[in-house]
Each structure stands twice: as C-alpha cells, then as structure tokens.
C-alpha cells in the first residue's frame, strides 16, 4: 500500500503541472484584466497605464509570466555586465527605467532615450513555495483572503456532508430492503424531485417560507468568520446553519440514496448472499453485515473527492444565503478580476481532487480486504 501511495503521488506531479498551465492560460485568456480593473479612472495617462503593467509584470511574454507565477522571481540575478539580461539567463530583460525624485522615468539629454538600470531579483516566491501573490482588490496576501473565509466554509460543508451522507446512505439501504414497496417508491420519486430543483431555487423557497413568512429562521448575513471576536460561539450560530445545510444536503441525500440502493440490490443477488441465507443467518445480519459492506465499494468512488471538496465551498448556496465562505469569495473575485484569489482557490481545489481520488482507492482496500495494491 505504501509503495502504491508513493507511486500515485509521483504520478500526480505532471497532472498538477498540467492543471497549473491550463489554469494560467484560462486566466490569461479571460476578457479584461487587472489593469482594466485597477485603472478604471479615465484620467489615467497612457504612460501611467504602462507603468502599472510593468509593476504587475504583464508586459513580459506569457511563458515568463507563468514561470514567475509558478516558481517566483527571487532567483533572478543582477545584470552585472549591462547587456540587458541576467547573467547566465536569457528569460527576461532585467533592465528597468531610471526614476527621478518624483518617481518618473528619466531620459538621456543627448539621445532622448529612456535611461535604464539593472533590476535586482524580485520578491515573489511562486505558488510552489506557497506564495500566490497579493490580492488586487484587498491589497493583502491572497492566502489571507482565502484562509479567513475557510472556517465558515468548513462549518457549512462538514454539516451538509454529514447530514447528506448519513441520511442518503440510510435511505438507500432501507429502499433496497423494502424493494418495490411504498418506502422504495417514495424515495425514488423524492430523489427525482430534489434533483430537479436547483440549489438557488430551493434556497430562495426556504428563505421565503421559513425566513420571510414564518420568520423562525434568519434570512442570512451570518457573521464574517469564526475567528471574528464579534462573532458569537457556534451554538448561537446554528440558526444560520440550518437552511443552507438543508439545501446542500438535499442533493447528497438524493444522490447517495440512489447509488446505495442500486449497489445494495446488486450485492444481494450475489451467490454468497444466497449462501448466507441458506445457512439460516438472520435477515438483518445478511443485509447489514454481508451486503452493506460490499455495497460501499461503488460509493467510495465519489466519497473521497466529496470529502476533499469540502474546502472549495458552494458558490451558489453561499451567495444565496450571504454566507461568508470561500465559494462566495470566489464569485466576488471573478467579478473583480482578482486573479490571485481566484487562482489560489483553483490550485487548492485541484490538489484536493487529486488527493480525493487517492483517498477513494485507499477506502477500497479498507472496505474490501480482497483488494490489494502492489
């Protein structure tokens, strides 16, 4: 098992590199850009726009920008011989404008050309060393913007996952036990209805009923984070957690119940189940001990990615209920063209999915002792 995990982690390296390339290309191809957002003032002069592009490093070729984002630029050295490139490297022109006391570029009085001087190494460390840059909008490290929203997302995600998985698996087992009876038919119809209602529609319906009409639950606008001193303890915030948890858990109940029902019905038709019954074992023991454990194997296929996806948040649900989580922050960052914040969520979500599928494979071996990895 250990060798298998190490091999899978090594195989994940080129996958991760490919994800970073595609993600950066999508970001670069997006309409608009940071300069258009930051320089929304129409009185900004063209020279000032160019200076802003130079500061953000978007005038460089796209491969150079990607390399700086991936590995940083602190390893870049001085141009000591004055040839316009760093010694031993030709990746980027390391000469920058000479600024006067007012911070403006100066020119040669004889030729009129802009004066340049060697540039020192930068102060960016790249995502491989945990530096995702500074948020364009909040003027703070992108990681701080993400991590301050993470507790609220974990609070909502864990609650919805526990409720959805527990109820969904239980309903699926009962639907298989009472196959073609009233409970099975009701659960199947209910799953179809729940899957037909989008999250934002169900969320707005619950707000209208329980928040506006009955006024027994808050409409939203929970306090910012669990680390906020003004935020009350968790027991006092449960009222805000009920409605969004119902919305997110509803899809889980419908999905898990259908998968678990189908898997259980497939397992109980196997020969070893008939053998167990012929030996006189109790029906409850046949279903729960012999049937349920093997029926969990298909469930493990998407259970692992679901667990790791708890970090990525639920953008639509968090937006509907004004939940201060990661998903809502990503939506705002996309609108604001705050690329550092968007990219850190994309990268962390990619890593979580890679680890999630590895977790599924490990769960296979834990559920079924017959599975061995070499």
């Amino acid at each position: 098992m250990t060798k298998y995990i190490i091999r899978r982690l090594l195989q994940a390296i080129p996958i991760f590199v490919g994800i970073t390339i595609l993600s950066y290309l999508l970001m670069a191809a997006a309409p608009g850009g940071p300069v258009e957002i930051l320089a929304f003032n129409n009185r900004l002069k063209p020279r000032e726009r160019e200076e802003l592009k130079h500061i953000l490093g978007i005038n460089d070729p796209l491969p150079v920008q990607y390399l700086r984002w991936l590995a940083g630029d602190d390893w870049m050295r001085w141009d000591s011989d004055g040839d316009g490139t760093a010694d031993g490297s030709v990746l980027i022109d390391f000469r920058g404008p000479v600024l006067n006391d007012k911070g403006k570029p100066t020119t040669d009085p004889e030729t009129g050309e802009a004066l340049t001087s060697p540039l020192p190494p930068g102060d960016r460390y790249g995502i491989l060393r945990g530096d995702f840059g500074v948020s364009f909008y909040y003027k703070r490290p992108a990681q701080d913007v993400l991590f301050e929203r993470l507790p609220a997302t974990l609070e909502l995600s864990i609650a919805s996952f526990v409720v959805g998985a527990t109820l969904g698996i239980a309903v699926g087992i009962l639907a298989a036990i009472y196959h073609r009876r009233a409970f099975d038919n009701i659960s199947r119809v209910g799953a179809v209805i729940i899957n037909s209602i989008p999250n934002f529609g169900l969320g707005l319906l619950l707000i209208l009923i329980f928040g506006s009409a009955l006024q027994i639950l808050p409409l939203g606008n929970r306090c910012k984070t669990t680390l906020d001193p003004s935020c009350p303890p968790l027991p006092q915030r449960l009222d805000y957690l009920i409605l969004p948890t119902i919305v997110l858990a509803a899809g889980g109940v419908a999905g898990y119940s259908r998968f678990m029902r189908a898997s259980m019905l497939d397992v109980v038709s196997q020969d070893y189940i008939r053998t167990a019954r012929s030996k006189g074992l109790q029906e409850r023991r046949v279903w729960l001990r012999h049937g349920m454990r093997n029926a969990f194997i298909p469930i493990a296929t998407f259970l692992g990615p679901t667990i790791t996806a708890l970090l990525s948040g639920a953008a639509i649900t968090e937006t509907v209920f004004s939940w201060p989580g990661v998903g809502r922050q990503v939506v705002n960052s996309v609108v604001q063209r705050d690329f550092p914040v968007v990219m850190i969520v994309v990268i962390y979500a990619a890593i979580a999915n890679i680890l999630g599928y590895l977790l599924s494979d490990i769960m296979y071996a834990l559920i079924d002792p017959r599975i061995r990895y070499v």
Side-chain angles (χ1 to χ4, degrees):
M1 176 67 75
T2 302
K3 293 182 178 179
Y4 174 78
I5 294 175
I6 295 175
R7 186 168 65 250
R8 284 290 302 271
L9 292 176
L10 292 177
Q11 293 173 353
I13 294 177
I15 297 176
F16 174 76
V17 174
I19 291 174
T20 60
I21 294 175
L22 292 177
S23 301
Y24 198 86
L25 290 177
L26 288 174
M27 182 189 68
V35 173
E36 284 72 14
I37 297 298
L38 298 176
F40 59 89
N41 189 349
N42 293 329
R43 294 176 296 178
L44 200 64
K45 298 179 180 179
R47 177 179 294 180
E48 295 173 335
R49 286 178 176 267
E50 292 301 320
E51 292 177 0
L52 185 57
K53 291 180 179 180
H54 178 75
I55 293 174
L56 296 177
I58 60 178
N59 279 335
D60 301 323
L62 191 60
V64 175
Q65 296 183 43
Y66 168 76
L67 183 61
R68 181 190 297 116
W69 174 71
L70 184 69
D73 61 357
D74 61 311
W75 48 270
M76 298 177 179
R77 292 174 292 177
W78 289 80
D79 176 21
S80 59
D81 54 7
D83 62 354
T85 59
D87 298 338
S89 175
V90 292
L91 286 175
I92 188 173
D93 186 351
F94 279 81
R95 302 190 65 82
V98 177
L99 304 180
N100 56 24
D101 297 337
K102 297 182 179 180
K104 301 297 182 180
T106 58
T107 57
D108 190 330
E110 297 181 359
T111 62
E113 297 181 355
L115 297 178
T116 59
S117 63
L119 293 177
D123 57 357
R124 304 175 186 176
Y125 298 101
I127 66 170
L128 295 180
R129 289 179 283 175
D131 181 9
F132 286 84
V134 178
S135 169
F136 297 154
Y137 187 82
Y138 297 99
K139 304 297 188 292
R140 295 187 293 117
Q143 285 182 317
D144 295 346
V145 178
L146 171 67
F147 291 153
E148 72 179 9
R149 302 273 182 162
L150 194 57
T153 290
L154 289 177
E155 182 181 319
L156 176 59
S157 299
I158 292 176
S160 60
F161 172 76
V162 172
V163 173
T166 303
L167 292 180
I169 292 174
V171 170
I173 294 174
L174 293 176
I177 294 176
Y178 299 104
H179 182 46
R180 294 180 180 177
R181 299 182 186 178
F183 184 86
D184 183 24
N185 295 329
I186 293 174
S187 65
R188 286 189 298 169
V189 173
V192 173
I193 294 175
I194 292 175
N195 284 328
S196 302
I197 302 176
N199 283 356
F200 68 88
L202 180 59
L204 294 175
L205 180 63
L206 293 178
I207 290 176
L208 180 63
I209 296 175
F210 296 99
S212 179
L214 301 179
Q215 296 184 357
I216 58 177
L217 292 174
L219 301 178
N221 293 320
R222 205 212 70 170
C223 56
K224 187 176 181 181
T225 65
T226 55
L227 301 179
D228 190 350
S230 62
C231 195
L234 178 61
Q236 301 179 22
R237 299 196 305 269
L238 292 180
D239 289 347
Y240 293 89
L241 191 61
I242 295 176
L243 293 184
T245 298
I246 292 176
V247 172
L248 290 179
V253 172
Y256 285 119
S257 64
R258 306 313 302 152
F259 274 99
M260 196 65 191
R261 173 186 179 275
S263 183
M264 286 286 290
L265 292 177
D266 179 67
V267 167
V268 296
S269 64
Q270 301 296 322
D271 293 338
Y272 69 90
I273 295 294
R274 287 192 290 267
T275 302
R277 286 172 172 167
S278 65
K279 290 182 178 181
L281 294 180
Q282 294 181 355
E283 194 70 13
R284 178 183 302 177
R285 187 174 182 182
V286 172
W287 280 95
L288 299 182
R289 182 172 180 178
H290 296 276
M292 185 176 66
R293 182 171 183 177
N294 291 282
F296 266 114
I297 296 178
I299 302 296
T301 303
F302 56 91
L303 196 60
T306 301
I307 294 175
T308 56
L310 297 177
L311 302 177
S312 59
I316 296 177
T317 303
E318 290 181 0
T319 301
V320 170
F321 291 96
S322 300
W323 191 268
V326 174
R328 183 185 175 196
Q329 180 60 53
V330 171
V331 174
N332 295 335
S333 298
V334 170
V335 175
Q336 299 160 355
R337 301 295 195 278
D338 197 351
F339 292 148
V341 177
V342 175
M343 293 304 293
I344 187 175
V345 177
V346 170
I347 295 303
Y348 277 131
I351 295 175
N353 275 279
I354 293 174
L355 296 178
Y357 286 108
L358 176 59
L359 180 61
S360 292
D361 292 340
I362 296 174
M363 291 174 63
Y364 288 156
L366 296 177
I367 295 173
D368 190 350
R370 297 172 298 177
I371 299 177
R372 290 291 182 267
Y373 297 113
V374 294

